[in-house]
């Protein structure tokens, strides 16, 4: 295993120490490395809290700041954060407007966020994201997985929270953005979890995993390497077919960590051509490695159908370590 | 070779098509894919032009926009752009204030930019970056290589150009930022150039290349894998020793393309501790994969000593595909 680390058991805390040192103008670290929170809170604003296993950076801690999340709870690599982390984060960021949890649909995450909601004794709602069209049930999920579309939910709901929407309205909006969003991924290589020390799955030099999950879970099937155009075509067909609507959209091409920007933009180019054939027009774009799987090579395509409310939320100012515009 | 591509000979043009489609609000593409230019020019402003082989994205095209470059000329992967590309770009962005070339110190790049300067018949100055302390001469250079510190030069000089500094002042500032900047890199794996189809260099599973270049050129030596702390210690010692000064600095930890954000932040944490021992205090930070080597795993550390002028230029608003703040 080749990684820039010291001791496998300290990766998360050392990385968080670096993260807060680099972005101390935006974020602060909770006691015991339990959560990352927005440095300056806005009293009375409904707080947005997310979290999940580490290894998907910049998701979620990279999206804490103005116009997006108020706190994020990082678990160990690919491991759910614990309810006590969430309860501590809720206590730190709830300034009276209640808290919205944004949770990717994995059994451990959903269970722990549910437990935290019951134990916290506060006004809390939960939006569960399940944008991955690849498979219906998976290694760690009942129902679909929540993947890169979670970023879009956090961004749009974060904008509305910043503008003063209340908990009930934010819950409605979060569910709506999730319903308007679909994703699918492809892996060319496996990731390597540091504590395991070896690749999560075996894959041949001429194979790829269509529909892979962000932890390296199996997708739809293992196939021979194909061209970017064919890969994008299959992913877009699955996404567009499942959306079942045409119109203007956000097209988000997300790298899994080991894929160069050149290839991501080439995939963006292929995806937009296929979307046009399905009557979907990308009018907003995001290209980069934002919801990663450690060092996995590959990418996902996410499409969110836009109405005025969602487009406004996407365009609104944001100031976080990993997404920043308009401020 | 596992890459998200169609035809090896079209990678650059297809990627540029995706790039301009995704960022059409900021940039425009020159005829024949010869250059990427800022969409809206500022008449009379001195234009900043950079370029180099592709495969280092987002450098340089990702830094075209308000407060940074006016145009970038992308060569084929790891291949210098040609003088006709540069001349076309100069013609497109020189609105009367002259043009500053910012060129990484590689023989092909320097030669072609020199030729373009002579042939263009315009008022042109050149800043050559050579921030890499790893080796004095290298595969493609006489003298030191220009690497990730080039981003810092482009950002600081870009801010001054935006504020109306003239060509002579920008040339002076660019040389000054380059002199205040040092970098060094380490590779854990090789990159794979698409046209070659196989890794650029062989490296064992327990080896790394200290002082690697951004094309996979040899560095100082091949050594056994070490801890992040030891790696950062050697890189920081080389950088600080060569700078020979103490004070406030920008610390930029740059991923080469295949390294997860978690590891980059962990390296940031290690580097800042070592810098403190050398009397250098990071007061500005950048962490991410900005000057890449295709899919190479590894990172570089760049340190720029800050005075008021350089800090002001770094902090100034920027609005490009890859760097965006204050706007």
């Amino acid at each position: 295993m080749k990684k820039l680390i010291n001791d496998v058991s300290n990766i998360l805390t050392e990385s968080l120490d670096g993260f807060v040192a680099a972005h101390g103008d935006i974020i602060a670290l909770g006691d015991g490395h339990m959560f990352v929170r927005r440095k300056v809170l806005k009293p009375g604003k409904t707080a947005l809290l997310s979290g999940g296993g580490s290894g998907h950076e910049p998701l979620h801690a990279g999206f804490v700041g103005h116009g997006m999340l108020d706190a994020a709870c990082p678990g160990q690599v690919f491991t759910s954060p614990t309810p006590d982390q969430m309860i501590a984060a809720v206590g730190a960021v709830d300034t009276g407007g209640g808290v919205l949890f944004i949770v990717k649909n994995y059994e451990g995450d959903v269970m722990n966020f549910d437990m935290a909601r019951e134990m916290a004794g506060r006004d809390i709602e939960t939006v569960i994201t399940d944008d991955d069209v690849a498979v219906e049930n998976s290694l760690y999920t009942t129902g679909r997985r929540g993947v890169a579309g979670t970023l879009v939910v956090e961004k749009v709901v974060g904008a509305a929270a910043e503008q003063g929407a209340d908990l009930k309205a934010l819950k409605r909006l979060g569910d709506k953005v999730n319903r308007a969003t679909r994703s699918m991924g492809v892996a060319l290589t496996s990731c390597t979890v540091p504590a395991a020390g070896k690749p999560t799955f075996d894959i041949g030099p001429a194979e790829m995993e269509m529909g892979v999950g962000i932890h390296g879970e199996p997708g739809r099937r293992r196939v021979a390497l194909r061209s970017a155009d064919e890969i994008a075509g299959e992913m877009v067909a699955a996404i567009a077919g499942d959306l079942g609507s045409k119109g203007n959209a956000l097209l988000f091409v997300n790298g899994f960590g080991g894929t160069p920007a050149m290839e991501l933009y080439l995939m963006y180019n292929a995806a937009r051509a296929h979307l046009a054939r399905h009557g979907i027009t990308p009018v907003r774009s995001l290209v980069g490695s934002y919801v990663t799987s450690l060092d996995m090579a590959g990418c996902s395509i996410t499409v969110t159908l836009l109405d005025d409310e969602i487009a406004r939320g996407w365009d609104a100012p944001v100031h976080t370590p990993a997404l920043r515009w308009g401020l």
Side-chain angles (χ1 to χ4, degrees), chain A:
Chain A
M1 175 177 65
K2 287 187 150 180
K3 291 188 186 290
L4 296 165
I5 59 176
N6 290 309
D7 181 335
V8 167
S9 56
N10 296 336
I11 292 175
L12 179 57
T13 53
E14 290 179 31
S15 180
L16 285 170
D17 286 342
F19 183 73
V20 75
H23 303 293
D25 53 331
I26 301 176
I27 52 137
L29 194 56
D31 283 345
H33 296 84
M34 290 220 283
F35 57 89
V36 170
R37 54 160 255 181
R38 194 166 152 175
K39 192 173 181 183
V40 181
L41 299 174
K42 204 168 167 177
K45 170 184 172 297
T46 299
L48 264 54
L49 195 158
S50 190
S54 293
H56 305 301
E57 290 69 28
L59 185 87
H60 297 273
F63 305 137
V64 172
H66 180 100
M68 226 163 151
L69 300 176
D70 292 272
C73 298
Q76 293 297 321
V77 172
F78 293 177
T79 302
S80 300
T82 55
D84 61 311
Q85 290 181 264
M86 299 156 192
I87 293 167
V90 165
V93 299
D94 182 5
T95 58
V99 181
L100 184 73
F101 287 171
I102 300 176
V103 183
K104 301 192 297 302
N105 187 35
Y106 297 97
E107 281 167 9
D109 290 7
V110 171
M111 189 178 72
N112 287 0
F113 272 101
D114 269 352
M115 212 178 295
R117 181 166 64 162
E118 283 168 26
M119 292 166 69
R122 306 252 187 167
D123 200 10
I124 297 173
E125 294 278 357
T126 302
V127 169
I128 305 224
T129 62
D130 61 350
D131 52 308
D132 189 345
V133 301
V135 292
E136 280 306 320
N137 299 295
S138 183
L139 264 188
Y140 312 115
T141 62
T142 305
R144 291 180 171 186
R145 301 175 295 220
V147 292
T150 309
L151 178 157
V152 186
V153 174
E154 293 177 357
K155 173 69 187 78
V156 174
V157 175
E162 203 67 48
Q163 286 151 17
D166 66 15
L167 181 56
K168 200 173 151 188
L170 295 173
K171 157 73 175 157
R172 180 200 60 77
L173 179 60
D175 287 339
K176 172 180 148 175
V177 178
N178 180 58
R179 279 195 307 274
T181 300
R182 300 289 191 285
S183 301
M184 189 162 151
V186 63
L188 303 186
T189 69
S190 175
C191 48
T192 297
V193 175
K198 61 183 180 56
T200 302
F201 59 91
D202 291 320
I203 186 162
E207 288 180 328
M208 57 186 204
E209 181 74 23
M210 279 302 291
V212 71
I214 58 172
H215 309 92
E217 308 98 300
R220 291 185 166 189
R221 62 190 193 285
R222 184 68 56 92
V223 296
L225 277 182
R226 285 189 271 160
S227 71
D229 195 48
E230 288 170 298
I231 296 168
E234 177 168 345
M235 289 157 83
V236 164
I239 288 168
D242 206 86
L243 277 170
S245 299
K246 305 179 178 200
N248 288 344
L250 161 69
L251 170 55
F252 168 26
V253 174
N254 172 61
F256 281 144
T259 293
M262 264 192 114
E263 295 177 41
L264 298 181
Y265 281 109
L266 194 150
M267 282 295 291
Y268 179 94
N269 195 48
R272 73 187 175 108
H274 285 291
L275 281 170
R277 284 174 210 123
H278 291 274
I280 295 175
T281 309
V283 294
R284 299 290 187 281
S285 305
L286 187 68
V287 182
S289 296
Y290 292 102
V291 180
T292 60
S293 305
L294 295 166
D295 53 344
M296 192 157 83
C299 75
S300 59
I301 294 175
T302 294
V303 176
T304 298
L305 289 173
L306 299 175
D307 62 11
D308 286 349
E309 184 181 34
I310 299 177
R312 215 166 38 236
W314 181 258
D315 293 340
V318 62
H319 188 73
T320 68
L323 271 194
R324 202 176 295 194
W325 58 70
L327 279 177

